[in-house]
Amino acid sequence: MTVTALFPVSVELSEWYAALIQTATDQMPHMTQRNRKLIGAFLLVGSIIAWSVLATALYLALPEGLPGLVLIVFFIIAGMGWLLPAMAIIRWMAKPDVTGGRP
């Protein structure tokens, strides 16, 4: 008896892995919105921490005796600077799940 099949080779179709045969051109399953939200929550916290460390390092590198108006502008920019990465992460998290394709 000669059996020719794609890997994994199965003689009985009732075996659990017989239905999982994929060719090299099949795409990986897409990430669900639930998983993106979990990963995104950690990314948001990490990006806010990284931004606060960067803003603090920049503040400490500023020369002493700067006028108050310059410091106010710096703090406005430093306080709102985390919004751009956060918006990108939230946009990625909110993408709807891919429907259709294979079940």
Side-chain angles (χ1 to χ4, degrees), residues 31 34-44 92-93:
M31 187 178 299
R34 181 178 177 172
N35 291 338
R36 282 193 303 272
K37 286 182 179 183
L38 175 66
I39 294 168
F42 287 112
L43 286 175
L44 279 173
W92 174 73
M93 288 168 44

Side-chain angles (χ1 to χ4, degrees), residues 41-74:
F42 287 112
L43 286 175
L44 279 173
V45 171
S47 68
I48 291 171
I49 290 171
W51 181 258
S52 64
V53 168
L54 178 67
T56 302
L58 287 174
Y59 174 71
L60 294 176
L62 291 176
E64 290 186 27
L66 286 175
L69 187 60
V70 173
L71 291 176
I72 288 173
V73 170
F74 171 78

